[in-house]
Amino acid sequence: MPRWLPRAMVLALALVACFQLASWGFHQLIGLLLNIVIAFFLALAVEPAVDWMAARGVRRGLATGTVFLGLLVTAAGFFALLGSMVAGQIATMVEEFPQYLDSVISWANSTFHTHLSRLAVQNNLLNSDWLQKYVQDSANNVLAVSATVLGSLFNLLTVALFSFYFAADGPRLRRALCSVLPPSRQAEVLRAWEIAVAKTGGYLYSRGLMALISGVAHYILLEILGVPYAPALGVWVGLVSQFIPTIGTYLAGALPILIAFTVDPWYALWVFAFVVVYQQFENYLLQPRITARTVDIHPAVAFGSVIAGTALMGAVGALIAIPATATLQAFLSAYVKRYEVTDPRADGGRRFRRGSEVLARVRRGLHREAPGGARPGAAPGGPEAPSEETEPSSP
């Protein structure tokens, strides 16, 4: 056996063991890494506001806390409005459930000639096996649901903590990162960081402005129609349609249409028509003007980036896909050299025009040089004869 073979085998086994250990560690820490990515993009989104306050004398930590407090109050207000709307609808459904049940039973008795009663139906529902099994399973899953809720709260606190540190210590973090790089690379890193801050913050603020406009427009319509919970529905439509990519518009419009249908089916049709018309107005007039200087990317590229982000990171990837793509596009545009495109058809048209101009000059020159003002190539007293020498071929 060669003397180098045992050493090579030990080295190969060590490399395999290191790879397995790194793979295991990555899978164990993927939740934390995902939270850090979310926190980083959230910090990039709020950093312009923090920088604006810090430039006016506010300490960076206090400015970051103020911005996050505003976001917390906004989120709490949204969920409070949504919760009040859902609770009101559930209370209304519970109060009117006996009337609904009586109408359904009356229709069934008159249609199918049955003899059902509400008391018998309620007793059968309460004593049914599937209802008891569902209650038992729900009771057994209380612990799992509680653990899921606590885990979600812990992840939310982790994201908030990392976001606060990233935004409050942004300049210090950039200096620490650039200190381990050569000077030729520091400028590129700082430029990429600034582009990411501008694009992510621009995406958030442009979406917030469009959410405000959309919410106010839908609130006015719902208030005119007399649909209940118009403020909450306006907030719902504005936020969901702008901050949930691809399917947010359909989710946002479904709830007010459903609630308007409980008031009057024609109101639901009016709300549906308004949602469709407003979506076209937003896509073709409002959004291009607002996002022209922030995240101006092609709709097909945005749609593809959302699909790719969803496939890689789920709902979080769908949220950060558009600002990440806009950042990458803006960063690469500084290093990709572009050339002027030569259109063969346009070049051929220019050559044709130049040939026509040359032909016109030749004809004018021959006309001036002809003796006695006679047209060149023409017999005396006769019509003009064509001349092959003075008629150049068309290019």
Side-chain angles (χ1 to χ4, degrees):
M1 183 174 60
R3 300 177 64 179
W4 55 266
L5 186 58
R7 184 179 300 175
M9 294 177 62
V10 171
L11 181 60
L13 292 176
L15 290 176
V16 171
C18 291
F19 174 76
Q20 294 291 338
L21 182 61
S23 178
W24 173 81
F26 177 77
H27 285 88
Q28 294 296 321
L29 297 176
I30 191 170
L32 177 61
L33 296 176
L34 185 61
N35 290 335
I36 292 177
V37 170
I38 300 172
F40 178 72
F41 273 93
L42 182 58
L44 292 180
V46 302
E47 190 164 347
V50 175
D51 291 338
W52 182 82
M53 297 179 66
R56 282 155 178 78
V58 182
R59 290 192 302 112
R60 194 169 183 88
L62 180 60
T64 306
T66 303
V67 173
F68 273 91
L69 181 62
L71 292 176
L72 179 62
V73 171
T74 302
F78 169 70
F79 285 108
L81 287 174
L82 186 62
S84 64
M85 180 184 65
V86 172
Q89 290 298 115
I90 292 176
T92 302
M93 291 176 61
V94 170
E95 291 177 358
E96 298 180 354
F97 180 75
Q99 288 81 1
Y100 291 151
L101 186 59
D102 287 338
S103 62
V104 171
I105 291 175
S106 300
W107 176 81
N109 290 334
S110 61
T111 304
F112 301 104
H113 305 289
T114 56
H115 302 283
L116 299 176
S117 64
R118 187 177 70 184
L119 183 60
V121 172
Q122 289 178 349
N123 291 332
N124 290 332
L125 289 175
L126 294 176
N127 297 326
S128 60
D129 295 336
W130 67 269
L131 182 61
Q132 295 178 0
K133 186 176 183 301
Y134 175 77
V135 172
Q136 184 178 1
D137 293 340
S138 300
N140 294 332
N141 293 330
V142 169
L143 184 60
V145 173
S146 302
T148 302
V149 172
L150 291 177
S152 301
L153 291 176
F154 178 76
N155 290 333
L156 184 61
L157 292 176
T158 303
V159 170
L161 183 63
F162 276 108
S163 300
F164 180 84
Y165 285 139
F166 285 154
D169 295 335
R172 188 184 306 175
L173 181 61
R174 286 193 286 271
R175 287 195 299 269
L177 181 62
C178 292
S179 63
V180 299
L181 298 175
S184 59
R185 299 296 181 186
Q186 291 179 5
E188 296 181 3
V189 172
L190 292 176
R191 186 177 187 280
W193 194 294
E194 294 298 329
I195 290 175
V197 169
K199 294 298 180 180
T200 308
Y203 172 77
L204 178 64
Y205 301 139
S206 61
R207 289 290 171 176
L209 180 58
M210 288 191 295
L212 177 63
I213 297 173
S214 176
V216 171
H218 288 83
Y219 162 74
I220 293 175
L221 173 70
L222 297 173
E223 190 69 27
I224 292 174
L225 295 178
V227 178
Y229 309 106
L233 289 175
V235 174
W236 164 267
V237 172
L239 293 180
V240 173
S241 63
Q242 300 303 325
F243 290 98
I244 296 183
T246 308
I247 62 173
T249 302
Y250 308 104
L251 292 178
L255 185 60
I257 291 173
L258 180 61
I259 295 180
F261 185 82
T262 61
V263 179
D264 191 337
W266 287 104
Y267 288 176
L269 185 61
W270 278 105
V271 174
F272 174 77
F274 183 81
V275 169
V276 173
V277 173
Y278 181 83
Q279 187 63 30
Q280 304 307 313
F281 164 76
E282 181 182 280
N283 290 339
Y284 293 102
L285 294 178
L286 185 62
Q287 183 173 349
R289 285 170 169 78
I290 293 180
T291 61
R293 297 184 179 180
T294 55
V295 285
D296 189 17
I297 59 178
H298 195 274
V301 177
F303 182 71
S305 64
V306 169
I307 294 177
T310 305
L312 292 175
M313 303 173 61
V316 176
L319 288 174
I320 67 176
I322 294 179
T325 304
T327 301
L328 181 62
Q329 175 180 300
F331 183 71
L332 292 179
S333 63
Y335 298 96
V336 177
K337 188 176 182 180
R338 299 181 181 271
Y339 300 91
E340 183 180 358
V341 178
T342 303
D343 190 353
R345 294 173 298 179
D347 187 63
R350 287 194 294 270
R351 289 200 302 267
F352 180 78
R353 288 193 296 272
R354 287 198 298 268
S356 301
E357 293 172 359
V358 170
L359 177 60
R361 287 198 297 269
V362 169
R363 286 177 175 175
R364 288 196 299 268
L366 292 176
H367 181 73
R368 286 195 299 269
E369 294 175 1
R375 289 176 297 178
E384 181 179 359
S387 175
E388 296 182 356
E389 296 179 355
T390 61
E391 186 73 16
S393 59
S394 176

